[in-house]
Amino acid sequence: MSNTLQSGTFVENLLAPRRASASPWLTWYSTSGERIELSGRVFDNWVAKSANLLGEVFDLEEDSLVVLDLPAHWKSLVVALAALHHGATLVNAEHDDAQQATLWVTAQPNDERIPNSCEILAVNPAALALSFGSDLGPVAEDFNASVRSYGDQFYPSPVAGDATAIATNGGAPISLATLFGAEAKSQGTILVRAQLPVLDLLPYAIGQWAAGDGIVLVEDGVEVTARLRDGERISFDYSSQD
């Protein structure tokens, strides 16, 4: 690999400034009525535990190819950043190289698209689910049952800035340095509707988090009422910009 761009600990640099913060970093609303609020400290803890799981169970490392086959959700954003801690490359399930992936992260571990050579991490999106459930299948690792047992801190090794963070079909790959180096204008507390694929949302979320903003992510189908907007002190609606 070329090291034309400086190496660094990109996810660490994003999370560390607000690691001690109790202010909301990401708040999730689901159609089932869940409201999950994660402070900077709690979000960082989830990322650390997930990064330790990915390293210890799957030996994830720089240039590992990871299919993130999950919708936009607080857990998919956690797993995405955990994978990027290792310098892995994220792709969606429709990517040309998905069949060569090291790891497939999914809520459907028995999906026939998953190649036999690929390891599987099964994620149940329900906040209180302590295991994936009866449909785990014979080979998948259960994220819900395992993640809490891993360390609360992750100590990343530097990864190359020109390593590909997100690979897209038909578009230019996004490097780690580009993904974490983009500057964004602070907007305060941002409302985002979760119709966006998670790998489309991720660059925007990283930029706004780096600017000091909090994100309120609402599942498709959740009614965004005036009460919700007022309660969360929404100052900017990202979805209305589309």
Side-chain angles (χ1 to χ4, degrees), residues 16-238:
R18 290 169 65 187
R19 180 166 292 147
S21 172
S23 298
W25 173 284
L26 177 63
T27 303
W28 165 255
Y29 281 84
S30 76
T31 54
S32 64
E34 291 177 335
R35 178 189 180 275
I36 307 297
E37 180 181 299
L38 296 93
S39 66
R41 179 172 61 248
V42 172
F43 187 85
D44 172 70
N45 182 254
W46 273 96
V47 173
K49 285 179 174 293
S50 301
N52 284 316
L53 183 159
L54 294 177
E56 294 180 33
V57 176
F58 302 110
D59 295 322
L60 211 65
E61 58 187 5
E62 193 168 341
D63 287 341
S64 294
L65 189 64
V66 176
V67 172
L68 191 59
D69 189 19
L70 293 171
H73 186 277
W74 71 266
K75 287 183 182 177
S76 58
L77 290 168
V78 161
V79 174
L81 288 173
L84 294 176
H85 249 320
H86 293 279
T89 297
L90 301 172
V91 299
N92 61 36
E94 289 73 40
H95 193 274
D96 293 339
D97 295 332
Q99 293 296 304
Q100 283 74 54
T102 301
L103 174 64
W104 199 292
V105 185
T106 180
Q108 299 178 334
N110 296 302
D111 192 330
E112 293 182 354
R113 296 176 300 169
I114 304 174
N116 293 332
S117 59
C118 191
E119 295 189 275
I120 304 170
L121 180 64
V123 180
N124 184 331
L128 299 180
L130 298 179
S131 68
F132 182 82
S134 59
D135 297 327
L136 181 65
V139 298
E141 176 74 15
D142 188 335
F143 175 85
N144 300 70
S146 301
V147 67
R148 289 175 176 83
S149 67
Y150 286 88
D152 292 339
Q153 295 179 311
F154 180 73
Y155 302 98
S157 298
V159 292
D162 57 358
T164 298
I166 302 175
T168 60
N169 276 339
I174 303 172
S175 71
L176 278 166
T178 298
L179 181 62
F180 288 90
E183 295 185 2
K185 177 184 176 181
S186 178
Q187 302 285 357
T189 300
I190 302 171
L191 177 70
V192 179
R193 293 170 178 82
Q195 296 103 322
L196 278 175
V198 64
L199 293 184
D200 291 347
L201 171 60
L202 185 62
Y204 178 76
I206 288 173
Q208 297 307 139
W209 282 327
D213 294 343
I215 291 175
V216 176
L217 183 63
V218 295
E219 188 173 16
D220 192 18
V222 171
E223 182 183 1
V224 179
T225 62
R227 182 177 179 180
L228 186 155
R229 290 177 181 274
D230 291 344
E232 300 294 347
R233 299 181 179 179
I234 300 298
S235 54
F236 184 73
D237 187 339
Y238 173 68

Side-chain angles (χ1 to χ4, degrees), residues 1-5 62 160-163:
M1 171 189 294
S2 165
N3 286 301
T4 55
L5 292 177
E62 193 168 341
D162 57 358

